[in-house]
Amino acid sequence: MRFASLSILLDDLVRNERRKRLVVLALCCTLWLIYGAIFLPYLPLGSGLMGHDYAFYLPNLLAGYNWALQNSYWSIPWFTPAACGGMPFYADMNAAYISAPQILTLFVSPLRAVQITFMLFAFIGMWSAYGLMRMAFGASRTASVIAAALFLFNGFYAYRMLIGHLTYHA
């Protein structure tokens, strides 16, 4: 009953269709900014520490960056001398050479690339949850925004990324 009254309240506040879309956009962007304010300070912590699995991924991002500088980005790195004096690189499923963080590393530092990836894929996930509820399930705007907020703040993605499971971004 309370959910239905919230939907009616939103419809009463905003009568025309364009304003309803702007309200949804403003609500979702506000939720995303709150999400960033909560979780982004942990990537890295104020003391400079990060999740333990980034000890594997950040050197791999640098190895991929160095490979791209030397051989071009479109040349696949079959091995990397940066780890253990030479080991398979592209064959390792966790290397993630062809991924958003690696592409971003070509333009910004690996740490900044991880931060941008974290926020970018949180944004994509939030809007995908909204779109799924709205378009596929035919839910109201209110229910779709609530579903997007629940998806965004459920903790699975945030805590995996903070721990250092970089391949969970996709």
Side-chain angles (χ1 to χ4, degrees):
M1 192 64 168
R2 188 176 280 177
F3 180 72
S5 63
L6 183 64
S7 182
I8 292 168
L9 177 67
L10 181 64
D11 287 340
D12 287 344
L13 283 174
V14 184
R15 291 270 184 222
N16 89 28
E17 193 69 24
R18 185 164 187 253
R19 280 191 179 166
K20 288 179 185 177
R21 288 184 183 148
L22 287 175
V23 166
V24 166
L25 179 66
L27 281 172
C28 286
C29 286
T30 302
L31 288 170
W32 182 67
L33 290 173
I34 291 169
Y35 181 81
I38 291 171
F39 293 111
L40 212 50
Y42 295 108
L43 199 59
L45 292 170
S47 61
L49 298 175
M50 292 186 72
H52 62 281
D53 280 358
Y54 283 114
F56 176 76
Y57 288 112
L58 291 178
N60 277 347
L61 289 175
L62 282 175
Y65 173 73
N66 289 331
W67 180 275
L69 284 180
Q70 194 70 20
N71 303 305
S72 89
Y73 183 74
W74 303 110
S75 172
I76 302 295
W78 297 105
F79 75 99
T80 177
C84 302
M87 65 176 274
F89 186 68
Y90 186 69
D92 183 3
M93 297 299 284
N94 287 317
Y97 181 71
I98 300 176
S99 65
Q102 185 65 64
I103 292 170
L104 288 169
T105 301
L106 298 175
F107 304 104
V108 296
S109 70
L111 182 58
R112 184 69 61 201
V114 169
Q115 292 169 339
I116 292 170
T117 301
F118 176 69
M119 290 303 291
L120 176 68
F121 281 87
F123 187 78
I124 291 170
M126 176 190 64
W127 280 108
S128 298
Y130 176 83
L132 176 72
M133 290 298 292
R134 187 82 179 126
M135 292 177 215
F137 297 140
S140 68
R141 282 185 178 86
T142 307
S144 300
V145 169
I146 290 171
L150 288 173
F151 181 83
L152 188 63
F153 288 100
N154 75 5
F156 176 79
Y157 172 72
Y159 295 117
R160 287 290 180 173
M161 288 293 286
L162 292 179
I163 289 168
H165 299 166
L166 189 60
T167 53
Y168 276 85
H169 77 274

